């Protein structure tokens, strides 16, 4: 697995929470929004997405609302207040980790000069 794949894998939950913080969406729509907002840098497969959505739902961060569209049901996911708080927490942790990584990289770049 490529290094960038590891970084992406760890970011998918955060990205799902981010797009759901804007509006309710169904699974495929979530994958397309992530792809659109990242200018194609992130492609989330539905097989990776649904386990995350199910876990977020089981933890009460997301609720599901099935809507009949023509002859089939489409499940929309809604970010609950607890999910918004969880998103804020995840975002703070992401930013702290990112800051730490940047500081280490900056030090290594300075010593390489």
């Amino acid at each position: 697995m490529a290094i960038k794949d590891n970084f992406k894998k760890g970011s998918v939950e955060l990205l799902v929470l981010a797009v759901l913080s804007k509006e309710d969406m169904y699974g495929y729509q979530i994958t397309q929004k992530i792809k659109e907002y990242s200018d194609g840098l992130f492609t989330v497969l539905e097989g990776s997405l649904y386990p995350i959505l199910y876990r977020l739902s089981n933890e009460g961060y997301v609720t599901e609302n099935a809507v009949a569209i023509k002859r089939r049901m489409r499940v929309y996911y809604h970010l609950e207040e607890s999910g918004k708080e969880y998103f804020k927490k995840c975002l703070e942790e992401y930013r702290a980790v990112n800051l730490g990584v940047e500081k280490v990289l900056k030090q290594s770049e300075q010593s390489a000069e």
Side-chain angles (χ1 to χ4, degrees):
M1 182 181 292
I3 293 170
K4 72 177 183 177
D5 290 335
N6 285 331
F7 286 122
K8 286 180 181 180
K9 184 178 180 185
S11 304
V12 174
E13 180 178 286
L14 180 63
L15 299 178
V16 168
L17 292 166
V19 297
L20 286 177
S21 71
K22 297 218 171 258
E23 65 180 295
D24 296 356
M25 294 183 199
Y26 55 94
Y28 179 74
Q29 188 179 20
I30 293 169
T31 64
Q32 294 307 296
K33 285 294 181 186
I34 291 172
K35 185 176 181 179
E36 175 188 338
Y37 292 163
S38 71
D39 292 329
L41 294 172
F42 276 88
T43 303
V44 178
L45 301 175
E46 290 181 64
S48 302
L49 173 68
Y50 285 104
I52 292 168
L53 288 171
Y54 297 150
R55 189 177 52 71
L56 291 171
S57 180
N58 287 337
E59 293 175 6
Y61 298 135
V62 169
T63 53
E64 302 171 10
N65 180 29
V67 176
I69 307 288
K70 297 183 183 176
R71 290 188 222 164
R72 51 185 290 215
M73 298 300 284
R74 180 173 282 166
V75 178
Y76 284 84
Y77 296 89
H78 172 77
L79 190 62
E80 294 294 334
E81 282 304 314
S82 61
K84 291 175 185 177
E85 289 300 315
Y86 179 64
F87 172 51
K88 283 183 197 175
K89 207 172 184 181
C90 289
L91 194 54
E92 288 171 8
E93 287 182 23
Y94 165 78
R95 288 186 171 143
V97 168
N98 191 50
L99 179 62
V101 169
E102 285 298 321
K103 286 183 177 196
V104 171
L105 294 176
K106 186 175 182 179
Q107 288 298 318
S108 69
E109 288 171 351
Q110 289 174 352
S111 63
E113 293 174 352

